[in-house]
Amino acid sequence: MPYAITKRCIQCDKCLPQCPKDAIKVIDGDYWIDPSLCNDCEGYMTPQCVISCPVNSPVPYQAKKGRCKVDANLIATQKLFTDGKGHPFASAIVIWELCNVLAQRQSLPWEVDADGELYYQRQINGGKGAIAFRVTDSNNSEATSVLKGAKALSAIEAFDIRSACMHLIYAAHATNLDHPWEEEFTINDRQIEDYLGLDKRKDLNKTTKLALIKELAQQPCQLIASIDLPAKGKIPGVYLEKSRLWHLLDIQHHFQEDDLGCKHLVGLTFTIKAGQWAEYFLNRQGCKERTAFYQYGTLPKALLNVVMSIWQQHEGAARMMLWLLFKTKIGREQRITIPTLMRVAYGERKLSQVSGHPENRQRLLRIFESDLEVLNYHGLKPIFDPVTYPLEIQPLWAKLVDIPEDADAALDFWIDDGSNGTRLTDAAPRGKWNRLMNARILYFEVPPEWKKQLAKSKKKQRTTSRKTKFKPQINLSVEYILEARKRLGLSQRDLARLTGKSQSWIRDIENGRFEAKLEDQMLLRKALGMANG
């Protein structure tokens, strides 16, 4: 049981150096024992603060009961997610990579430089630039010390994937400021609870939540980055050496006293400022003058809640979800190879370790397919490439998506499946792992709240709609052509004969290698029995 300091304390300072866990803190001149650090001096006969105190001030800690009063000091800056769905956030490469570092941690290929400092480096801009991250021993000072060796590895292993969500919250707050590299913002524990969904966690008491929030808030501020990006047009090059991405300027602790004078922590307020990177990548005025970038996307609140709920059972899915937040911003037609997704989810080292062991490959394959199912359940639907990722090697859950909900229709479905030469529940074909290493996902369908709803894009949509108002919508998707042909029982050769095209042309259309011209789409519609328009 942890201990607490009562109002009998005379501030003699004798207990402070005796605490083996450094749990005794001096905040605003008052002494307080952090219950999340105090372990009752495990290994000692008697708690050291009790032995050293001349007035018997420390007593066993009793958790505060009842509701906490709202302190005026807890009021922070502008609230995020006012519509309950999404908010703009900084999405530059430096933000993406820091998110990956916090999510993947020791899975990344960390290296040691000539000074013995541990760093992770990634080539950017087609190899023309680079960004490197290092871990520090503090979260604010510019004259910081970079961790080396075992200390650096220990700090990296201690990173919590949930701190990536806190990093994204900071990136959203930064977009509310005109000059984020000069201005600061504040955020309190009540807001963080709401953003991360911790307010719904009735299994956690107030002290536990505050300890978790404090830890998550500090971790993104422990990393510094060196950025080397060449000039692009009028925009000058970016050269930052060991620059902090987030400055944690201050942590305010808000207490309440009980009848014994024991101080109970009831709130936290954090003051944050973006690093110098924001002047290059989140500069509105500079973007208008074409001397800097203003790169942003939409941060869905639902993503934060999902990551906070699945991070233990499906860490791979949480990693992929965070990575896809930035990947999908690039555009829909971004084909993703399965090895790339696996490296994101489980790390390069693990993927290399299992490649030569069939049993481990099967286990990782089951985990990967389960993680894909989690993504699909939460609205990130993978669209498999029919050529490299055909139905026979797709996950079972993907094959069962089209089962009718009606009982009679479902019975007919299974009877039909059982009469075929191959069945949905058949074991995976031999060589599935090797085929997956060459497979890809065409894109992920994303939930509506992931898409940017900006005035600029709406204006563009209105302009497009005016141009195409009188033009019939006859574009056919690859999936629609394939489904219609199979429904009519036609082979590719049959469809080629009906349209006057070659079989290879039909195959290329169905594989998505190119899109049919308008006149050819009319031929396809006629052959497949579809109405034009």
Side-chain angles (χ1 to χ4, degrees):
M1 176 184 293
Y3 272 68
I5 295 176
T6 66
K7 57 186 176 185
R8 291 196 299 269
C9 176
I10 58 174
Q11 301 180 353
C12 64
D13 205 33
K14 290 183 178 180
C15 61
L16 196 61
Q18 301 301 323
C19 180
K21 298 291 290 183
D22 293 327
I24 301 175
K25 311 291 184 183
V26 181
I27 300 174
D28 296 330
D30 293 327
Y31 284 67
W32 172 68
I33 298 178
D34 188 341
S36 65
L37 298 177
C38 179
N39 66 348
D40 197 15
C41 288
E42 185 178 347
Y44 294 85
M45 293 294 293
T46 308
Q48 298 302 291
C49 59
V50 173
I51 295 176
S52 60
C53 183
V55 294
N56 297 323
S57 175
V59 297
Y61 177 81
Q62 298 295 327
K64 185 179 182 298
K65 297 181 179 180
R67 302 185 67 177
C68 302
K69 297 178 182 178
V70 178
D71 193 322
N73 292 326
L74 293 177
I75 299 174
T77 52
Q78 183 178 348
K79 187 178 180 181
L80 304 178
F81 310 111
T82 52
D83 62 352
K85 295 181 180 179
H87 192 281
F89 81 111
S91 60
I93 185 66
V94 63
I95 299 296
W96 188 358
E97 284 305 319
L98 178 55
C99 186
N100 288 335
V101 171
L102 293 170
Q104 300 184 44
R105 310 181 300 281
Q106 66 269 31
S107 299
L108 296 172
W110 292 85
E111 302 177 53
V112 180
D113 64 12
D115 297 325
E117 298 176 353
L118 208 65
Y119 72 97
Y120 161 69
Q121 180 168 298
R122 158 107 185 258
Q123 300 294 320
I124 56 177
N125 197 23
K128 297 178 182 178
I131 180 170
F133 291 89
R134 290 172 171 81
V135 187
T136 67
D137 58 355
S138 65
N139 48 43
N140 180 35
S141 174
E142 291 289 354
T144 188
S145 175
V146 177
L147 296 179
K148 302 178 181 180
K151 288 185 178 180
L153 289 173
S154 178
I156 293 168
E157 292 175 359
F159 284 145
D160 192 315
I161 188 173
R162 292 172 291 180
S163 65
C165 294
M166 189 69 72
H167 162 60
L168 295 176
I169 290 172
Y170 293 166
H173 268 290
T175 59
N176 290 335
L177 307 175
D178 292 327
H179 301 90
W181 59 95
E182 296 175 343
E183 304 173 65
E184 59 191 44
F185 60 87
T186 57
I187 181 172
N188 62 45
D189 64 284
R190 294 177 187 271
Q191 292 175 316
I192 294 171
E193 279 190 41
D194 175 41
Y195 302 155
L196 300 182
L198 290 174
D199 54 340
K200 299 179 180 65
R201 292 288 303 274
K202 304 305 180 185
D203 57 317
L204 302 178
N205 60 38
K206 186 68 174 179
T207 302
T208 304
K209 287 182 182 179
L210 290 174
L212 174 61
I213 288 172
K214 186 176 181 179
E215 182 66 22
L216 298 182
Q218 293 181 90
Q219 289 184 2
C221 306
Q222 288 182 247
L223 288 145
I224 56 176
S226 297
I227 306 172
D228 183 357
L229 192 63
K232 185 177 181 180
K234 296 181 180 180
I235 301 176
V238 181
Y239 303 100
L240 296 176
E241 184 68 21
K242 296 182 179 179
S243 177
R244 195 172 295 279
L245 277 72
W246 300 110
H247 298 271
L248 181 53
L249 302 179
D250 184 44
I251 303 178
Q252 284 184 283
H253 298 74
H254 307 286
F255 295 95
Q256 284 184 5
E257 285 190 6
D258 59 17
D259 295 337
L260 294 175
C262 296
K263 293 184 178 294
H264 296 266
L265 184 66
V266 297
L268 294 167
T269 302
F270 304 94
T271 303
I272 311 290
K273 190 181 80 169
Q276 203 60 36
W277 63 269
E279 187 174 1
Y280 301 94
F281 298 103
L282 201 64
N283 189 332
R284 283 194 184 95
Q285 187 60 35
C287 184
K288 292 178 182 178
E289 298 171 354
R290 297 186 178 183
T291 58
F293 299 101
Y294 191 82
Q295 299 173 333
Y296 65 100
T298 298
L299 174 63
K301 184 179 180 183
L303 176 139
L304 302 177
N305 295 161
V306 171
V307 171
M308 292 294 291
S309 64
I310 69 172
W311 69 279
Q312 282 183 305
Q313 291 82 8
H314 298 280
E315 184 176 359
R319 287 177 171 182
M320 286 190 285
M321 185 172 287
L322 291 167
W323 185 79
L324 286 169
L325 173 66
F326 297 87
K327 183 68 175 178
T328 53
K329 188 181 81 72
I330 298 175
R332 174 174 172 173
E333 298 300 330
Q334 289 290 325
R335 290 170 172 79
I336 306 169
T337 64
I338 298 307
T340 297
L341 268 183
M342 284 190 170
R343 280 192 289 270
V344 170
Y346 316 112
E348 180 71 46
R349 188 182 298 109
K350 187 169 185 178
L351 193 59
S352 301
Q353 289 173 349
V354 304
S355 59
H357 301 81
E359 292 183 1
N360 293 338
R361 287 192 311 216
Q362 291 301 318
R363 183 172 181 273
L364 185 63
L365 182 56
R366 287 194 296 269
I367 294 173
F368 176 69
E369 292 184 341
S370 175
D371 287 338
L372 278 184
E373 184 177 11
V374 171
L375 293 181
N376 183 74
Y377 175 79
H378 290 289
L380 283 168
K381 181 182 178 181
I383 304 301
F384 302 101
D385 180 10
V387 178
T388 62
Y389 209 151
L391 191 63
E392 61 263 24
I393 64 171
Q394 289 178 16
L396 179 60
W397 62 264
K399 301 176 185 178
L400 303 180
V401 167
D402 296 327
I403 296 179
E405 294 184 3
D406 179 74
D408 293 334
L411 180 61
D412 294 338
F413 176 89
W414 285 114
I415 292 174
D416 181 65
D417 179 70
S419 62
N420 294 328
T422 59
R423 301 169 181 82
L424 291 180
T425 54
D426 285 346
R430 295 186 63 180
K432 179 177 178 178
W433 175 269
N434 293 330
R435 293 178 68 180
L436 275 178
M437 292 301 98
N438 295 300
R440 64 186 181 183
I441 290 175
L442 295 179
Y443 59 91
F444 281 84
E445 289 185 357
V446 299
E449 58 269 20
W450 279 51
K451 301 173 183 177
K452 291 191 295 184
Q453 300 295 330
L454 302 173
K456 186 175 180 181
S457 62
K458 288 180 181 178
K459 182 178 179 181
K460 184 178 180 181
Q461 290 170 6
R462 287 196 297 269
T463 303
T464 305
S465 65
R466 283 198 300 269
K467 290 181 180 179
T468 60
K469 183 175 181 180
F470 302 104
K471 184 181 288 186
Q473 300 296 318
I474 60 174
N475 289 333
L476 293 174
S477 67
V478 171
E479 294 81 4
Y480 200 50
I481 295 172
L482 188 62
E483 180 182 354
R485 179 177 64 77
K486 290 184 176 180
R487 186 171 61 247
L488 294 173
L490 299 174
S491 65
Q492 289 183 344
R493 180 178 296 177
D494 294 333
L495 184 57
R497 186 177 65 255
L498 291 173
T499 56
K501 298 289 184 179
S502 66
Q503 183 178 348
S504 61
W505 186 87
I506 298 294
R507 183 172 62 248
D508 289 340
I509 290 293
E510 291 187 348
N511 290 344
R513 292 197 170 93
F514 62 85
E515 186 176 339
K517 298 178 181 178
L518 293 181
E519 56 267 25
D520 292 333
Q521 290 199 28
M522 294 178 70
L523 290 174
L524 286 169
R525 283 182 175 275
K526 184 177 179 180
L528 296 172
M530 305 175 190
N532 287 318

